[in-house]
Amino acid sequence: MTIDVPSPDAATQPTTGPLDLIDVDHVRFYVGNAKQAAHFYAHEFGFQIEQFTDLTTGSREEASYLLTQGNIRFVLTTGLAQDHIAQEHVKLYGDGVRDVAFCVDDATAAYETALKNGGASAYEPMTISDERGSVTMAGIETYGRVIHSFVERSGEYGLRKLKKGGPFAPGYSAVGPLAINDYNKKNPCGLMFVDHCVGNVEEGKMNHWVEWYENVLEFKLFKHFDDKDISTEYSALMSKVMASGNQLIKMPINEPADGKKKSQILEYLEWHNMTPGVQHVALRTDDELHSITELRKRGVDFLLLPKTYYDIVWDRVGEIQEDKDAVEELGILVDRDDEGYLLQLFTRPLQDRPTLFFEIICRRGSQSFGKGNFKALFEALELEQERRGNL
Ligand code: FE2
């Protein structure tokens, strides 16, 4: 993909310390079958299947596919060797997110600072290089079995070049011509970058992980968080949003709370071996109507809202620049705060277990997360849980 979509203000942020995160380098998923999963995400969500490693490229431990769209990079990895950690991951949790990796200036310095701040090592700094350049990575453990890698790039592997379709890392080969890649170029879904990445943790553990992000990664509680909003009759979850120093990276944390019915967070945990993990990845678009139209055309399975949602939503949200009839027809959620509004829609789970899903979000000034939609959403989610016999 050659579209160079910058993350918000990425280039304008001053560098002040080792934990200054330049961008989401990539999100790595562990999956049961990377080759097939690559085609699922390409067909459903319009990703380009760009680069890969497998037995034919000399990789005997794992196979990985790099999928890109705008400034989003997903790496789908499956274990080839029997004792590869991805195999265990898939056995315990099904397909899901393993690594939310951040691009930094100095991966070793970021890693050492995170350890000094109380973080635990997932793996020590390692450099892979060839005549084109090098990639240095080091990882720390966060909630459950999720890790954050720090990625430092140089030469042909630099982030700027990667955004323009450059090589991901030594060992990766370009994928040959694929009909789906041509189709996606002609029919773009308009997804630009990762807006936020939400983790589900156990009951009573949210504040622990909030402090972890404050202490270890030097994140801050996002300024738009309002603790009056976290608990409603329906919500049965509590949530706090953590943001990196430059607010480029947002990692909300959810925990289940006692409600009238089983929390959606508890349902996630029960199908995730009672282990915290990434609940959803929100992908940003500048044109929600176009993106949702294209994704629906491709058969993306979105959450169905209660019919009553649009009876009251416009009283709450007021005027928007999009066509309201189209918003309603496409089943998109809308919310407003004092800075503007947002449009959002959630997919159903992306795999058979009710675990990971995507959100497609468009911001028109609003920097919040759609708290006005909580009640409508929870009603919709409860219907889904009931269908699965998990309520
Ligand atoms: Fe979200």
Side-chain angles (χ1 to χ4, degrees), residues 29 51 53 77 121 133 178 190 212 228 249 289 292 321 334 340 347 367 387:
F29 300 68
Q51 299 171 37
T53 64
T77 295
S121 174
L178 278 179
W212 186 92
K228 289 196 298 292
I249 318 278
L289 268 57
I292 299 300
Q321 71 184 63
V334 200
T347 72
Q367 294 303 314
R387 281 178 55 213

Side-chain angles (χ1 to χ4, degrees), residues 196 198 280 282 344 346 359 369:
H196 59 275
V198 180
H280 74 269
Q344 62 186 167
F346 301 89
E359 171 182 355
F369 296 83

Side-chain angles (χ1 to χ4, degrees), residues 15-34:
T15 301
T16 57
L19 286 171
D20 255 9
L21 308 179
I22 298 166
D23 210 337
V24 177
D25 190 90
H26 63 273
V27 179
R28 185 182 299 269
F29 300 68
Y30 278 163
V31 298
N33 186 328

Side-chain angles (χ1 to χ4, degrees), residues 143 196-200 239 250-254 277-281:
Y143 47 74
H196 59 275
C197 210
V198 180
N200 281 345
S239 185
K250 296 193 186 74
M251 302 283 300
I253 315 277
N254 293 334
V278 171
Q279 176 208 41
H280 74 269
V281 178

Side-chain angles (χ1 to χ4, degrees), residues 31 55 66 77 88 95 97 106 119 157 163 179 184 203 230 247 262 268 284 317 328 344 349 367 387:
V31 298
L55 289 174
L66 170 70
T77 295
E88 193 198 357
D95 289 10
V97 171
D106 183 335
Y157 300 110
K163 285 184 182 185
N184 287 340
E203 188 170 353
I230 59 174
Q247 300 196 343
K262 183 187 283 185
Y268 173 101
R284 180 89 152 256
V317 171
E328 193 165 337
Q344 62 186 167
Q367 294 303 314
R387 281 178 55 213

